[in-house]
Structures are given as C-alpha cells and as structure tokens.
C-alpha cells in the first residue's frame, strides 16, 4: 500500500503543476514583491526592511521575473509546488515515514490559500525551512538548525518561531518535565541569533518606513475569528460551496463534511486516549506557536499553512503507521475524498477568477488606441460577492490595471496608472450619472491619455490625449 501511495504521489506532481500553471494572477498577486521588477537589483526596496516585513528572497524573485516577465506567474507556481512537495517529504521523514501524515499535509485544505496563490512563495518556504530546522535539531546539528530557522525568518517573519518549536518538541519526547541545561543552552543560542536579526533589522530599516496599519488595527472579535479560521481550515468541508453565493451548493458542502466526520471522530478518540501524554499537548501548542505571528496580527487563508506542518506531525503521532487499523484507513480515505473534492472545487474557482482578470485586460487593450502611458481607471463598486483569493471581484482580478500592463508586454501605462473606486449606486441611472461626473472631472485635468472604466466584467475605454 505504501509503495502504491508513493507512486501516486510522484504521478500527482506533474498533474498538480499543470493545474497550477492555469491559474492567473488576481488582486494582491499584481502588487507584491514577487511580480516582475524592472529596476536595478540593488535599488529594490524589498531587499531591506519594508513596511511590516523584510523578505529579500521575495525581492530577488521579483528581479528574476523582471529579466523575463513572461516567466510570471509560471515561475511562482513552480517554486510554490516544489516547496510544498519538499515540505511533504520532510513531514514524511519527521513522522518516521508515516504515509498518512504526509498525505494529510500534501492534500489538506489548509494548503489551498497558499498553494493556489501566486504571491505565497514566502509562506511555503518559511514552512519548508522551518521543518528543515526541526529536522536538523533532532539530528543534533545545532548550527544547521540556527541557519535554517534564520533562512525561514528572512523568507517570512513567522519562520522565527522555529527558533523555539524544535526545542519544545524535543522536550516533549522527554518523560520528565524538567528542563535540562542543554535546552537552556540551545535556547540561548536561538535567542542570540534572534537578537542579531533584530539589530540588523533596526539598523537597515529606512527612516521613512511605514508600517502596515491593517496588521495592527484589529479588534478582539477579529482575533477570535482569526483563531477559529486558523484552527479549522484543515477540516475539509467545502467552503467554496458555502461562502460564495453565486455558486453556493449546500448539498456538496454537507457531503464533504459528512465524509470527514468519521476521521474527525477518530482524531477526538485518539486525543482522549492520549489525554495524559505530554507529547500530544506539545504538538497542539506547537501548532498555535507556528501561527502565533499571524494570530497576533491578522489571519488569511494563506496563513493557515503556517500551522499545517505541526498539525500533520500531530496526525502522524496520533496514528502511528505500525498500529494503524483497517477502519482508521477507511475513515481517513473518506476524509481525503472530501479533501480532494474541496481542493478541486477551490482550484476551479481560482482558475475562473484568473480568467476574468485576463479577459478584462484583453478587452481594455482592444479598445485602447495606441500605447497610452498615463491612464486613469474608474472602477465601479457593484457590491459583488467574493470569497478570499478563490472568487475574486472582477475589478480586483484586473489588479488596478496591472493585468492590462502585463498583457500589453509592459508597453502601456508604464508612467502612471491610477485607480478610483466609485459606488455602490442605488439605481442604474445613479450609476450612469456617477460615471459621467467622474469622467468629466478626470477629463478636466487634461492629464490622462486614456480612461478605463471597469464595471464588473464590462469595459469602456475613453481614448484622450492631454493638451
């Protein structure tokens, strides 16, 4: 059985890659560091602490894409899948070659917000290098552990938690609760590395750096919602069949939940049986530690990936391969069936959203005369529903005009492209008046060479030239 699953795993990789390569950029994919960057490498502000993060690897990817913009987003997808596959292998090794744990990690719905995204290379490799740090720590290669968790931190800030998680997990294996001198020594090594990182970050942060307010301006209720989302994303109820009203299908959502319930029951049963086991609690706490930086700021579907490695280790611990029962395999098979249904549905929705952005870009360029370099966009808010990165509002799929820039081969709107959102309007006539007034206001500036009006999936272009 294990051999057959390994063969299926290898076969699935090119299939997954094919599916990912069909997904096109939307929303934040167009604005993050991992989009084509055409400036000088050392002028890239992303190489230094920028806003609320310091991610030089992402900035480097953006520079590489700038050398040949046609590699975007294919290169992003390839890197993300390679990182996810690598992390799956690490989970397999860390759980003593537990196929069930590795399969859970590889297919879990908690990976959807990361693996189906385009600007999430950092989330994948923060996990990969974090798990690598845990691997080296357990092999007592302490300096490699330090190097790996620092790489994970430079990839994305939540990687810093792997300065503590390996020590904590190793302590979990101890029968005693006492903390030995070796753990204290290791903790001091990790703390020293963190201090060096912190000092470097302070020194290298530009004086005019601005923090992202959205990461800090959250209420207690927001944090409670984030905690629930983070804790339950791996449960394979098909949320795409619930959250997005145009394609809502409650029977499908209920089916996936029913398929998952037996294995969820088995997990609860195992946790009750192991209620006196220190290691189980260590892994549960590690799950929350891995996502702590996100839980203290904000959580999106991408961020659920941060704890996926730890919960996969927990699954491997609760269901060791040598004692796995036939009924547990059947329950897990039903759980994975629900997971695959949810995975495929979410992939299809993300695929459709990407096509909307491309279609809008093509329509705009077909109606645009010449190659205007100064463009103003009027986006209409029609109160369209959305669901995370999977069902994106058309104007967001258009990426504030960046989809058209890309589609034109970066020959259009290179000097300036500005987006203005108007609406929502109570009636069609009010919308028409609002568009007309905004258009007249823009034309009165005698500045823009073209005006692109994005109204859901409809496009209108006004070709003008400044006096």
């Amino acid at each position: 059985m294990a051999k057959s699953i390994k063969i299926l795993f290898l076969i699935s990789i090119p299939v997954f890659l094919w599916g990912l390569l069909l997904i096109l950029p939307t929303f934040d994919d167009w604005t993050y560091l991992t989009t084509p960057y055409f400036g000088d490498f050392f002028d890239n502000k992303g190489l230094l602490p920028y806003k609320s993060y310091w991610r030089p690897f992402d900035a480097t990817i953006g520079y590489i894409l700038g050398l040949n913009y046609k590699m975007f987003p294919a290169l992003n997808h390839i890197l993300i899948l390679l990182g996810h596959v690598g992390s799956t292998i690490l989970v397999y090794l860390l759980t003593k070659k537990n196929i069930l744990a590795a399969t859970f990690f590889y297919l879990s719905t908690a990976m959807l917000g990361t693996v189906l995204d385009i600007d999430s290379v950092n989330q994948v490799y923060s996990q990969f290098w974090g798990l690598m740090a845990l691997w080296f720590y357990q092999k007592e290669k302490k300096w490699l552990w330090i190097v790996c968790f620092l790489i994970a931190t430079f990839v994305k800030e939540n990687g810093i938690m792997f300065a503590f998680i390996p020590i904590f997990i190793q302590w979990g294996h101890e029968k005693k609760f006492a903390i030995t001198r070796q753990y204290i020594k290791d903790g001091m090594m990790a703390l020293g590395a963190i201090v060096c990182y912190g000092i470097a970050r302070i020194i290298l942060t530009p004086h005019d750096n601005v923090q992202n307010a959205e990461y800090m301006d959250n209420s207690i209720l927001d944090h409670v919602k984030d905690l629930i989302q983070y804790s339950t994303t791996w449960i394979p109820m098909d949320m795409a069949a619930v959250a997005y009203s145009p394609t809502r299908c409650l029977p499908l959502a209920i089916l996936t939940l029913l398929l998952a319930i037996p294995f969820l029951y088995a997990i609860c049963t195992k946790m009750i049986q192991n209620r006196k086991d220190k290691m189980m609690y260590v892994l549960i706490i590690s799950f929350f530690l891995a996502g702590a930086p996100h839980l203290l700021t904000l959580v999106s579907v991408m961020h659920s990936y941060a704890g996926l490695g730890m919960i996969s280790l927990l699954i491997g611990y609760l269901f060791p391969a040598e004692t796995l029962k036939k009924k547990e395999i059947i329950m897990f098979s039903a759980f994975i069936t629900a997971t695959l249904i949810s995975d495929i549905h979410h992939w299809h929705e993300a695929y459709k959203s990407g096509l909307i952005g491309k279609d809008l870009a093509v329509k705009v360029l077909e109606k645009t005369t010449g190659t205007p370099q100064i463009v103003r966009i009027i986006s209409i808010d029609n109160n369209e529903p959305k669901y995370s990165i999977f069902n994106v509002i058309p104007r967001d799929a258009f990426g504030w005009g960046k989809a058209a820039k890309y589609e034109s081969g970066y020959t259009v709107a290179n000097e300036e492209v500005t987006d203005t959102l108007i609406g929502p309007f109570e009636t069609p006539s009010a919308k028409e008046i609002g568009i007309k007034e905004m258009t007249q206001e823009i034309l009165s500036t005698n500045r823009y060479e073209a005006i692109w009006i994005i109204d859901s999936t409809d496009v209108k272009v006004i070709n003008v030239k400044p006096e």
Side-chain angles (χ1 to χ4, degrees):
M1 177 182 172
K3 185 177 180 181
S4 298
I5 293 175
K6 290 177 183 178
I7 293 172
L8 287 173
F9 171 67
L10 293 174
I11 293 173
S12 74
I13 294 173
V15 176
F16 279 16
L17 180 59
W18 170 80
L20 291 176
L21 291 175
L22 294 176
I23 297 178
L24 301 174
T26 62
F27 199 50
D28 286 348
D29 297 333
W30 290 113
T31 60
Y32 186 57
L33 294 171
T34 50
T35 53
Y37 170 77
F38 299 102
D40 183 81
F41 177 73
F42 294 103
D43 288 339
N44 192 337
K45 57 188 175 183
L47 293 173
L48 297 177
Y50 173 63
K51 293 185 177 180
S52 299
Y53 41 79
W54 185 12
R55 300 171 189 171
F57 290 103
D58 283 352
T60 302
I61 291 171
Y63 176 76
I64 293 170
L65 290 170
L67 298 176
N68 183 354
Y69 75 89
K70 293 181 180 180
M71 293 191 294
F72 178 76
L75 179 62
N76 304 60
H77 285 308
I78 291 169
L79 291 174
I80 288 168
L81 182 59
L82 286 175
H84 185 60
V85 169
S87 295
T88 301
I89 294 170
L90 283 170
V91 166
Y92 176 68
L93 296 175
L94 286 165
T95 55
K96 299 178 181 179
K97 300 184 178 181
N98 190 307
I99 291 287
L100 189 143
T103 302
F104 178 89
F105 181 91
Y106 187 53
L107 299 176
S108 173
T109 48
M111 63 82 182
L112 290 171
T114 293
V115 176
L116 297 187
D117 208 352
I118 290 169
D119 67 345
S120 56
V121 176
N122 50 55
Q123 195 71 56
V124 170
Y125 283 95
S126 180
Q127 176 84 255
F128 173 81
W129 288 107
L131 292 174
M132 187 69 79
L134 175 58
W135 169 259
F136 280 126
Y137 187 85
Q138 292 186 349
K139 295 295 182 182
E140 297 189 358
K141 297 180 179 181
K142 303 296 176 62
W143 284 109
L144 289 174
W145 155 59
I146 296 288
V147 169
C148 286
F149 91 68
L150 282 176
I151 293 174
T153 304
F154 277 109
V155 171
K156 192 167 188 178
E157 290 73 12
N158 60 287
I160 204 168
M161 301 312 296
F162 283 92
F164 311 106
I165 288 173
I167 300 174
F168 189 45
I169 289 178
Q170 192 66 25
W171 173 77
H173 289 292
E174 303 283 351
K175 292 183 179 180
K176 298 179 180 179
F177 280 84
I179 299 175
T180 65
R181 183 179 299 178
Q182 184 60 51
Y183 293 135
I184 296 173
K185 180 181 177 181
D186 293 343
M188 294 303 294
M189 284 178 62
L191 185 61
I194 292 170
V195 168
C196 291
Y197 167 81
I199 291 172
R201 183 159 181 162
I202 292 170
I203 292 173
L204 295 174
T205 298
H207 70 279
D208 58 346
N209 187 59
V210 178
Q211 299 295 314
N212 284 344
E214 64 178 326
Y215 288 108
M216 303 300 174
D217 297 341
N218 291 317
S219 65
I220 296 297
L221 181 59
D222 290 329
H223 286 302
V224 171
K225 291 178 180 177
D226 287 346
L227 181 62
I228 294 171
Q229 176 176 308
Y230 177 79
S231 304
T232 59
T233 313
W234 55 275
I235 298 174
M237 180 178 179
D238 187 355
M239 292 307 298
V242 177
Y244 189 59
S245 56
T247 58
R248 184 168 292 150
C249 182
L250 294 181
L252 180 60
I254 293 170
L255 172 64
T256 53
L257 180 60
L258 290 175
L259 286 170
I261 284 176
F263 188 65
L264 294 175
Y265 174 77
I267 292 174
C268 293
T269 301
K270 286 284 188 178
M271 292 179 75
I272 292 171
Q273 292 173 355
N274 289 277
R275 63 187 179 275
K276 295 182 180 180
D277 193 332
K278 182 177 73 168
M279 189 62 198
M280 182 186 75
Y281 295 104
V282 165
L283 289 171
I284 292 172
I285 294 170
S286 295
F287 167 69
F288 290 103
L289 282 176
H294 300 308
L295 292 169
L296 293 173
T297 51
L298 63 81
V299 173
S300 70
V301 290
M302 178 196 297
H303 299 140
S304 299
Y305 194 82
L308 181 55
M310 293 302 103
I311 201 166
S312 299
L313 297 188
L314 175 63
I315 294 296
Y317 184 77
L318 293 175
F319 298 92
E322 59 271 14
T323 62
L324 203 59
K325 299 176 182 177
K326 184 176 180 179
K327 66 177 182 179
E328 292 173 342
I329 295 174
I330 294 172
M331 288 187 288
F332 182 70
S333 298
F335 182 91
I336 288 299
T337 299
T339 301
L340 286 171
I341 292 171
S342 297
D343 289 350
I344 293 170
H345 190 187
H346 281 77
W347 167 82
H348 188 242
E349 297 304 306
Y351 166 68
K352 289 192 299 182
S353 288
L355 289 181
I356 290 171
K358 180 180 177 64
D359 183 58
L360 286 171
V362 170
K363 287 180 180 178
V364 159
L365 293 174
E366 286 176 347
K367 297 181 180 182
T368 300
T369 302
T371 56
Q373 298 304 308
I374 303 176
V375 176
R376 185 70 171 266
I377 301 171
I378 302 175
S379 295
I380 316 301
D381 184 353
N382 293 307
N383 271 331
E384 297 106 320
K386 65 177 181 178
Y387 167 47
S388 189
I389 67 165
F390 310 107
N391 298 106
V392 180
I393 296 172
R395 65 173 184 272
D396 291 340
F398 188 55
W400 310 278
K402 289 181 171 56
K405 289 180 66 174
Y406 176 86
E407 199 66 30
S408 73
Y410 291 93
T411 62
V412 168
N414 284 320
E415 188 172 335
E416 180 184 333
V417 56
T418 308
D419 180 90
T420 299
L421 180 65
I422 61 173
F425 300 96
E426 294 183 359
T427 63
S429 59
K431 180 166 72 172
E432 186 177 346
I433 292 171
I435 294 172
K436 184 176 180 180
E437 290 177 347
M438 179 56 65
T439 302
Q440 290 175 343
E441 180 182 329
I442 294 170
L443 289 172
S444 68
T445 65
N446 292 321
R447 170 174 172 74
Y448 297 94
E449 300 173 32
I451 301 173
W452 297 340
I453 302 172
I454 308 299
D455 185 3
S456 189
T457 57
D458 295 326
V459 168
K460 181 179 179 181
V461 174
I462 300 175
N463 294 292
V464 295
K465 290 186 177 181
E467 293 181 356

